[in-house]
Amino acid sequence: LFQHPSRQKLYGKIMTTLSLTIQSDYGYVILVAISTWILLNWMGMQVMKARKKYEVQYPNLYSNNHNFNCIQRAHQNTIENIPMFLVFLLIAGLHLPRLSAVFGITYLISRVVYAFGYYTGDPAKRNRGVFGYIGLLGLIVNCILFALNLLGWI
């Protein structure tokens, strides 16, 4: 996957040149990234439906209606967490693409379970999606292993 880095001295610092070959299995990672967009749009549509149902006008992010706030919060929390998920997914996928794709899909499925739990109106039921941390932590570990590999420490 990676060629051994050559080292050059430039301005008193050692520079590392890296040649990167992306495995064809990285396509799975790309499909997971696209699935993330689908998830976010589906959740956004749930919020739009809830706005009509509970008569919450723009630009109000929240309302006095508890059920609307649960639907909105499920979407908002997912939006808050997706940027780092995507960073971990795309980086970890360079090292172990299939495993990273599995971790990524696990995380996305957990967000659907999280949302359906929240949509009940009982915020405690959102915790049904806690298994997503397996996917997220798996991606983080893959990123760390990738970094250590690049540094030649493992």
Side-chain angles (χ1 to χ4, degrees):
L1 173 64
F2 296 98
Q3 296 176 358
H4 289 282
S6 62
R7 300 192 182 273
Q8 303 170 4
K9 201 162 191 172
L10 181 66
Y11 302 112
K13 295 183 179 183
I14 295 178
M15 302 297 292
T16 302
T17 304
L18 175 69
S19 175
L20 176 68
T21 302
I22 296 177
Q23 300 175 42
S24 62
D25 287 348
Y26 195 78
Y28 295 117
V29 174
I30 295 169
L31 290 175
V32 173
I34 292 167
S35 299
T36 304
W37 178 83
I38 293 167
L39 171 69
L40 290 176
N41 279 277
W42 172 77
M43 292 178 99
M45 287 189 295
Q46 304 313 304
V47 174
M48 286 190 292
K49 287 186 216 175
R51 281 188 179 282
K52 285 183 181 182
K53 181 177 179 179
Y54 299 112
E55 299 177 356
V56 178
Q57 301 299 313
Y58 288 104
N60 297 326
L61 192 56
Y62 296 103
S63 79
N64 291 329
N65 185 292
H66 175 76
N67 289 331
F68 173 80
N69 289 341
C70 286
I71 294 167
Q72 169 66 9
R73 190 65 201 130
H75 182 233
Q76 188 65 37
N77 181 264
T78 301
I79 290 171
E80 292 164 2
N81 287 283
I82 287 297
M84 287 312 302
F85 161 73
L86 286 173
V87 168
F88 295 140
L89 173 70
L90 296 174
I91 293 172
L94 292 170
H95 185 57
L96 298 167
R98 285 186 180 203
L99 183 59
S100 296
V102 168
F103 284 141
I105 285 295
T106 301
Y107 181 77
L108 294 181
I109 291 169
S110 81
R111 296 313 294 187
V112 172
V113 172
Y114 169 88
F116 278 120
Y118 228 150
Y119 294 170
T120 66
D122 179 2
K125 291 182 180 176
R126 74 190 191 283
N127 292 326
R128 294 173 179 169
V130 74
F131 66 90
Y133 283 106
I134 295 168
L136 190 61
L137 292 174
L139 290 172
I140 292 168
V141 168
N142 282 354
C143 284
I144 292 168
L145 292 173
F146 184 36
L148 296 176
N149 186 316
L150 287 174
L151 292 168
W153 295 355
I154 58 172

